[in-house]
Amino acid sequence: MLLNIQLTDVSNFQFSKKPSSYSFKHLFINCFLYFLPFLAQCATSTTFNDTNKIQDSIKIDFNHKIDKAYNDSLKIASAYFEYGKNLNNNDQKETAIDHLKTALDIAKKINNDKQIAEFGNYLANLYWQVGIYKPSTNTYLLAYNSAIKTKDSSQMAKISMNLASNYNYLGDFNQAIKYALNALKIKETAKDMERICYHYVAMATIFKETDNTEKWEYYIQKAYKLKDVDNCASLGDIAKIYNNLGSISVRKGENEKALAYFDTLLVLSKEVGFNKGISAALGNSSDIYRDLNQSQKALNLLIEAEQYFSDPYEVISNNNSKAELYRLLGQNKKALKLSLKNTTLKDLPFYSMEHEKTLRLLYEVNSVLLNYKEALRWNDSLRILENKLHDYNVQKGIEELETEYETKKKVQQIELLTTENELKNQRIKAGIVILSFLIILILLILYILNIRNKQAKLKQNNLRLQVLRTQMNPHFIFNALGSIQNFMMKNDARKASRYLSQFASLTRATLNNSTAESITLADEISMIENYIELEKMRKQNKFDYTINYDENLDLDFIRIPPMLNQPFIENAIKHGFKNIDKGGLLNITIKDKIDWIEFIIEDNGEGFHDGTKEKGYKSMAMTIFESRRKLIKQKYKKDFKFEIVNLKDKYPNQTGVRVIIDIPILNND
């Protein structure tokens, strides 16, 4: 079954509350019926007015473009084309055709092949939609010849396959296979994989119509292998692939395999609301259940599929399938009625296989009903169609064309290999020269990079030493040891031991981490705590501190560059709490920002005074921090935010400084 999108809009209005009396009910209904025409007219008028407004807007835009174009034929043609498309989208096909023809005529007068190809392809498709078949084919031919001149392979392939579909629909299979093969040749030569599956499916359809199962399956399998490759297939293409695979399995008698393909098609189509795929899956599954003697189940599936129809083929095919089921259920008159209904549909002759099936049903059902005269009449029509479809010369012509195509491909491949062999020797010689040059160039680059790496390592080692010197500031060391000594002299051994242990831990961590590329967040927090505790002891508890972080933060897994926060914590204690005796508060907040860890260091100290920001914070430690930040950015291609806020500038009632640093996570580096 062919696939198409069906839009169904079912509205059901009913009253759920009953009137209290019979007379009131009559009065209500009479009033409603009296005003119903007026309400309907208002609703229709509103819709009509809305539609008119849209159309007027489109027409105004079109006239504006025409006025603006002046004598520019290219712009005028484009304006007519766009207006024609808009008219078509608003279901004004006849008027749309007039404007599209005008656009095409202008493009022909100015010999603009690109526009002729584009406009002609669209117009030919619209001709086909309204049943004007010969002008459709002629316009496609015009568009194709112009596409050749533009050398637009994608446009050429698309129009060529559209021509193939036209000829296939009209029963001219030799022309169909000619243009289908041509489209494939263009796509394959240009190595253009976009919608290639559509072309393989179209080829397969032609062979299916001529009852060549081998070639039908060959091209469907080619499409199936590429269906998941980017841009190779649309949703409709994938649906058609599964539909054809199921139909081929039916042809081979592999019903379970066929049902699996149709079930896959049904699931995929329902997921995205693809009604054409749903109707095809239901209809083809019905055929299988009919063959399995489950006629009622098969009939239920066909009835379910009808709500998704919008394509003439689906109606014709469904009528044939239902007629066959009615025959099996002994309801021959119903079968005859459906088959006769198909003969009244103008599109029946364009679907050769379903046309043949309809004629066969009419012959067989009339025979069963003893309508021998009618049976003979339909039998004659059936034999004429069979001879046309299964004509040996037609099938032979198609196979010869396809064989010629494949042979040409092989000859071209041989010629290409010969040419490549001739060029190969020249390339080898040129390659040796180029390779020698590249080797020298690479060696030179490696030598330069080696020197730069040595310089970078030397710079990094110097920076690490500077970090170490900053962390192990002699003044801080002597003050810390002096404070510990005071505790010992006061016989406070417990505090002395505690602070000495923290001092040793900080010293050990500083020595270890100053040479490390990264450390865990847990180690960083531990170093910060030890440092602040020692400073708090040294400042005789003039300040307190908090370190806040999310409990779900994986401290032992996250790795960051070490000791980047220390300069800011040192400045907060040294400068922020310089002139206070008590009540100082240092808050450190740590947040996970996926690729960064955000540190917010905030104190309630004096903050900046006019002109003191640069002076107070441009210490040696800050200079080293900037150098490390640049080094990390250069090595890991990661930068991090660094911001200092004087709280008084932002909040007049607050004092202190807030520092925000986003330090990159180095786990994946």
Side-chain angles (χ1 to χ4, degrees), residues 13 28 86 122 159 231 249 273-274 400 556 597 628 650:
F13 299 95
F28 175 79
N86 284 326
Y122 191 92
I159 298 172
N231 299 322
S249 297
F274 189 53
E400 285 177 352
D556 293 319
I597 295 296
R628 291 187 67 199
K650 198 169 184 180

Side-chain angles (χ1 to χ4, degrees), residues 83-112:
Y83 187 47
K85 288 203 298 183
N86 284 326
L87 289 168
N88 181 35
N89 293 335
N90 284 283
D91 207 28
Q92 299 183 51
K93 298 191 182 299
E94 291 185 5
T95 312
I97 287 173
D98 291 338
H99 284 80
L100 291 169
K101 283 171 65 178
T102 302
L104 183 60
D105 288 340
I106 295 170
K108 285 160 64 177
K109 286 179 182 178
I110 61 176
N111 295 318
N112 189 310

Side-chain angles (χ1 to χ4, degrees), residues 45 49 137 218 276 282 292 330 445 456 467 536 619 621:
S45 176
N49 288 337
T137 302
Y218 170 74
K276 196 166 188 179
L282 293 170
L292 295 173
I445 291 171
V467 171
K536 185 179 175 183
S619 63

Side-chain angles (χ1 to χ4, degrees), residues 157 183-192 194-196 199:
L184 267 181
K185 179 182 177 182
I186 293 167
K187 298 283 282 186
E188 291 176 346
T189 302
K191 296 181 180 179
D192 180 6
E194 185 176 359
R195 292 290 308 279
I196 190 74
H199 291 76

Side-chain angles (χ1 to χ4, degrees), residues 120-184:
N121 185 54
Y122 191 92
L123 177 59
N125 181 268
L126 186 53
Y127 274 141
W128 191 263
Q129 288 179 36
V130 299
I132 308 175
Y133 301 127
K134 188 173 181 180
S136 173
T137 302
N138 291 337
T139 307
Y140 273 136
L141 288 168
L142 172 69
Y144 178 69
N145 289 329
S146 290
I148 292 173
K149 295 175 184 177
T150 65
K151 298 181 180 179
D152 184 342
S153 60
S154 178
Q155 187 78 292
M156 288 161 60
K158 180 167 60 178
I159 298 172
S160 188
M161 192 56 79
N162 287 340
L163 272 167
S165 298
N166 272 28
Y167 285 121
N168 182 51
Y169 186 81
L170 295 169
D172 191 342
F173 300 116
N174 283 320
Q175 287 292 92
I177 198 70
K178 172 186 171 183
Y179 280 100
L181 287 169
N182 180 59
L184 267 181

